[in-house]
Amino acid sequence: MNSASNSSDNEELSKIRTHDIPSADAMSEFMKQGWAPSPLSGINPHPSIPFTKLRREKISKKYPGVRLVFPAGSLKVRSNDTDYPFRAHSAFSWFTGIIAPDAVADSVLVMEPINNGHEPLLFVHPRSVRDSDEFYKNTRYGEFWVGRRMSLEETQYKYEIKVNHIESIEQYFLDKKETLVIRGEDKTIDDLVLENTEGEKEFLNYTSLMRMIKDAYEIDEMQKAVDASVRGFADMVRVFPAATSVARGERIIESAFYGRARLEGNEPGYSSIVAAGSHACVLHWIKNNGDVLPGDLVLIDAGVEVDSHYTADITRTFPVSGKFTKAQRDIYMIVFKAQSAGIAAIKPGAKFKDIHAACMAEIAKGAFELGVLPISIEESLKPEFGLHRRWQFHGSGHHLGIDVHDCAHARKEEYSDANLEAGMILTVEPGFYIQPDDTLFPEEYRGIGIRIEDDILVTQSGAKILSNALPRHPDEVEVYMAKLLKP
Ligand code: GLY
Ligand code: MN
Ligand code: MN
C-alpha cells in the first residue's frame, strides 16, 4: 500500500507531536462541518499534452505487453518531521508533463498494456475530504497544512491522462504481469514489483536516451529557463557592492539568484556555486560562505529550473571591481578561446567528444605559453600524458534538460562517443583553475579560477547559444558590469 494512502501511515502522521495542541472530541466533530465546495477556476489543458502523448507512444512501441511504472517519488526527510521541498522524478515529469506546482508526492504513472499499446493511468493522492482527520491533522498530506491539491478530475482535464486514487494502485500489481519500474524512488512501489536487474537497467537507459533530442516544447522551456537565469545573473552583479560590505558576501550573491529562481521558476536547478577568490578553484564550492573582496574574481555557476523542471546551467567569472587585472585577463582569455573553440566544434555529425577535444587543445596551448607545461602541447594532448588537465580536470560539457546532467543513464557509445544531432542541448564549460598553492605559477596567478559555461542548442546548421544574452568576452563583461553597477 502506498505510503500516501496507507491508513496506518495516515494515522501515524495525524498523531500529535510534542509541540502540538491535543484536540477535544467536540473540536474534532466541529472540524467536520461547515465547509463549502472549492472548485478551481481557470484550468486549461496543458501545452505539454501533444508532446507527452508522443513520448508515451514511443515507449509503448518499445515495450509491447509490458507494464511500465514511473513513480514521482516520495517526500524525503530533512530533519525529524520536516521534509525537503518535493521535486518529482524527471522521468515521471517527462512522461506526464506535470509541472512543479501541480506535482503531488507519491504519485505514480502506470502505462498499462492493452491490445495495441498502453493506457496511461495516473495514480495520485486525492484532495483531503473535510470529514476526515487527515484534512487538518496530517501535517504531510492534510490540505489544512499543505494547501489545496488538484482533484482527480482537475488533474485528468489538465494533463489528459486518466487519473485514479492512489489507494487503488495495489490491485494493478496483483497479477504479477511483466513489469518494469524506475526503481529507488518509491519504496512502496518497489516492493510491489519483482526485481529485474537487467531489464530495469535497460529501461532506465532507454528512458534516459529518449530525452537526448529535445522537442519544440522542451526547447521553449529551456529558453525560458536560460532567460530567467540571465536575469538572475544581472541580479547578482547588482548586489556586488553589498556583498563586499559584509562578511560571507558570497551568500548575498547566492541569495540574489535564489530570489530570481523562486520568482520566475521552481527553484535553482542545482546548488549554486558562488566562489570568490581562490574558492573558484574548488570545483564544487557550494558552501558559499566566503568573503567577497574588491580585487577578487567571483565565479558563479547557477541555473533557474522553471516550473516544467527544465534547468539552465550557466557560469560566468566576474571581476568584483568591474575590471580584470592583467593576470586575471590572461587566464580568462585562455578559457574564452577554449570555450569559443568548443562551441565552434558543435554541428550535426560532429562527435560529442570533439567539443572537449577542441577545448582542451586551447587549455594545453594556454598552459604551454605561460611556461608551466613541462612537455609539448602535442604530447600533453595524448591520453597517456594529459598533464594540462592539472588546470582543467573536469569535462567540457554535458547534455542539459530536465536534469542538469541530462540523459545520464545513456551508455558511453550513445553519449560521449555518439554524433551530435539537431535538437540536442549541451553545455560548453571549460575552465582554468590555478590552486592557491600551485608553485608552478608566479604569485599573481595563484588562486585564480575561471570557468565560462553556456547552454547550446544543436541546430541543422551548427549551434545556437541559448545564453548568448549574457556577455562572455572580457571587454563585454566589463561594459555589462559598468551598466549594472552605475550609481
Ligand atoms: N553546474 C553543474 C555543471 O556545470 O555541470
Ligand atoms: Mn554544467
Ligand atoms: Mn554549471
Side-chain angles (χ1 to χ4, degrees), residues 301 313 398 404-405 427 429 453:
D301 183 342
D313 180 9
H398 50 85
V404 62
H405 295 162
T427 68
E429 51 176 305
E453 176 174 25

